[in-house]
Amino acid sequence: MPGERLTPARLGPRDVLHVGSAGLRARPMRVVLSALGIAIGIATMIAVVGISASSEAQLLRQLDRLGTNMLKVAPGQDLLSGEKSKLPKEAPGMIGRIPGVEDVGATADLEATVRRSERIDKSNTGGLSVKAASEDLLKVLRGTVGAGTWLNEANGRYPSVVLGSIAAERLGVTGPGQQVFIDKHYFTVIGVLDPLPLAPEIERAALVGWQAASTLLDFDGHPGQIYERSTDASVETVRKLLARTADPGNPQSVEVSNPSAALQAKAATQGAFDSLLLGLGGVALLVGGVGVANTMIISVLERRHEIGLRRSLGATRGQIRVQFVTESLMLSGLGGLAGVVLGAAATYVFAASGGMPWVIPLWAVGGGFAATLCIGSVAGLYPAIRAARLSPTLALQAG
């Protein structure tokens, strides 16, 4: 009707997606190369967070299995003589009588070396030690025997030995029945232990029975380290009593520690060194955003005729802006989706190779994908504004 003001047609969501994806469908190779930068940045960030979370979950799983209720007692320096003090022979038994203590085990360092044979030089120890071990030690450490058997009252009085996992590897012992040379005697290997995360010193040791150490290796009977397990509720109470109970005459020279504290600290600080890698992933993401912006600017220059034709047919500047911002968002979204898949796959491979649980925090996936959309919006904003400002007449002439 005369005098009636024309209103441009609105673009529905379906129309916006159609016009926004037109440029992507027309240039698939350019889309792949532009999205690759975004994908690399997101994949790096997802993989860093996922690997860190998987490692932390593995440590927490270890802590749940090994427990945090084990304390270790060791002699410290005597304040008067300055020499290393000795724990009383009765210390393990006295500690076992503390209310709340469930299990007690002990070891003692021996003045002996372990070698594969007597022909190997005595100074070539390979970093291994020889320890006397009580029968309850393995139970307290919650360790397992990988092959063979553990020390008991019967075999602990004879020249038999149980090797830690690292000790067996360095000595070239593959299983029970073989012999190693300790001090002046050959000892028969009756067992090889699995790794002990709470007692790495045991992994590098050859363990002989308490009685055999006394009769064959001149052991004086004084324990060097005492390990105890108490109920979770009584750990702190037992900790306060350990020094006075282990050595009532010289409690100030007794050291009490929690072997699980190292694993707890490691789990708590698992992501402390991930910030650098996350920063590198962020840089890659920004570089990918610059690539998207560059692609969109080139797209605007190449499609000036299309833009002029659409403007001549009634498309508003706002609709042109929406078209190119949508195209930029879809381009970034494709890169982000590919990055999430690649990062999750890299995390899975790492976790599977290390026997860890596969953990990817949802906030990392959601946050990473949201970051790609934000970068896509920013990267597409200037090209969209530039496209909207093109004069329909000039654009058609340029085409």
Side-chain angles (χ1 to χ4, degrees):
M1 294 179 64
E4 184 178 355
R5 186 175 180 181
L6 296 177
T7 302
R10 293 181 177 274
L11 291 177
R14 185 174 180 180
D15 299 321
V16 171
L17 292 176
H18 179 74
V19 297
S21 62
L24 304 183
R25 296 195 303 269
R27 300 165 179 82
M29 183 56 65
R30 185 180 297 173
V31 169
V32 171
L33 295 177
S34 299
L36 186 60
I38 294 287
I40 291 174
I42 292 298
T44 302
M45 299 177 74
I46 294 292
V48 168
V49 175
I51 289 172
S52 176
S54 298
S55 300
E56 183 177 357
Q58 175 73 358
L59 285 173
L60 293 176
R61 177 185 290 182
Q62 276 189 339
L63 282 173
D64 289 340
R65 179 175 61 85
L66 299 173
T68 57
N69 59 344
M70 186 178 82
L71 298 176
K72 178 182 175 182
V73 178
Q77 296 292 329
D78 189 284
L79 297 180
L80 296 178
S81 64
E83 298 179 355
K84 190 172 183 179
S85 61
K86 283 188 175 183
L87 294 174
K89 297 179 181 180
E90 302 81 9
M94 293 189 294
I95 290 175
R97 290 192 287 270
I98 298 176
V101 172
E102 297 179 328
D103 298 297
V104 179
T107 64
D109 295 321
L110 303 177
E111 295 294 333
T113 59
V114 55
R115 292 166 284 164
R116 193 66 177 87
S117 74
E118 58 185 321
R119 292 185 173 85
I120 298 176
D121 191 88
K122 191 175 183 180
S123 62
N124 188 11
T125 63
L128 306 180
S129 62
V130 181
K131 296 177 181 289
S134 66
E135 299 168 14
D136 295 328
L137 178 65
L138 196 63
K139 181 180 179 182
V140 177
L141 297 178
R142 292 186 181 173
T144 54
V145 179
T149 187
W150 175 245
L151 298 166
N152 54 45
E153 187 176 357
N155 57 36
R157 66 181 65 185
Y158 299 108
S160 55
V161 61
V162 174
L163 299 178
S165 56
I166 296 177
E169 180 181 352
R170 292 184 181 176
L171 291 170
V173 174
T174 57
Q178 297 177 272
Q179 290 190 321
V180 294
F181 193 72
I182 300 177
D183 197 25
K184 301 175 183 179
H185 308 275
Y186 274 100
F187 280 67
T188 301
V189 177
I190 62 171
V192 176
L193 299 179
D194 289 325
L196 293 168
L198 290 185
E201 66 276 8
I202 303 297
E203 297 179 345
R204 295 169 172 81
L207 306 170
V208 301
W210 209 263
Q211 186 172 342
S214 300
T215 57
L216 299 174
L217 302 175
D218 300 324
F219 174 44
D220 61 6
H222 290 274
Q225 300 85 28
I226 302 174
Y227 304 85
E228 68 82 27
R229 289 272 183 184
S230 54
T231 60
D232 292 334
S234 60
V235 170
E236 289 305 317
T237 302
V238 172
R239 183 196 294 269
K240 296 175 183 178
L241 298 174
L242 277 176
R244 286 177 288 173
T245 305
D247 192 352
N250 197 18
Q252 67 276 7
S253 65
V254 177
E255 297 178 354
V256 179
S257 61
N258 185 348
S260 65
L263 283 179
Q264 289 175 302
K266 188 175 181 181
T269 60
Q270 184 64 40
F273 298 101
D274 294 338
S275 56
L276 176 61
L277 294 176
L278 286 174
L280 293 176
V283 170
L285 189 58
L286 290 177
V287 171
V290 172
V292 170
N294 184 56
T295 298
M296 296 306 302
I297 291 174
I298 294 175
S299 179
V300 169
L301 294 176
E302 291 179 344
R303 297 160 64 188
R304 295 178 68 182
H305 184 269
E306 173 194 332
I307 295 169
L309 183 60
R310 289 199 62 216
R311 289 294 310 280
S312 300
L313 294 176
T316 65
R317 291 185 175 183
Q319 291 173 345
I320 298 296
R321 285 194 294 267
V322 169
Q323 173 187 346
F324 282 91
V325 169
T326 301
E327 185 174 329
S328 178
L329 282 172
M330 294 179 70
L331 180 57
S332 301
L334 288 173
L337 184 61
V340 168
V341 173
L342 290 174
T347 303
Y348 176 80
V349 171
F350 175 83
S353 62
M356 302 177 183
W358 181 38
V359 179
I360 299 180
L362 292 178
W363 65 263
V365 176
F369 195 74
T372 63
L373 297 182
C374 291
I375 287 179
S377 300
V378 174
L381 191 58
Y382 172 71
I385 294 174
R386 183 170 178 174
R389 287 178 177 175
L390 286 176
S391 169
T393 305
L394 295 177
L396 288 172
Q397 288 177 351

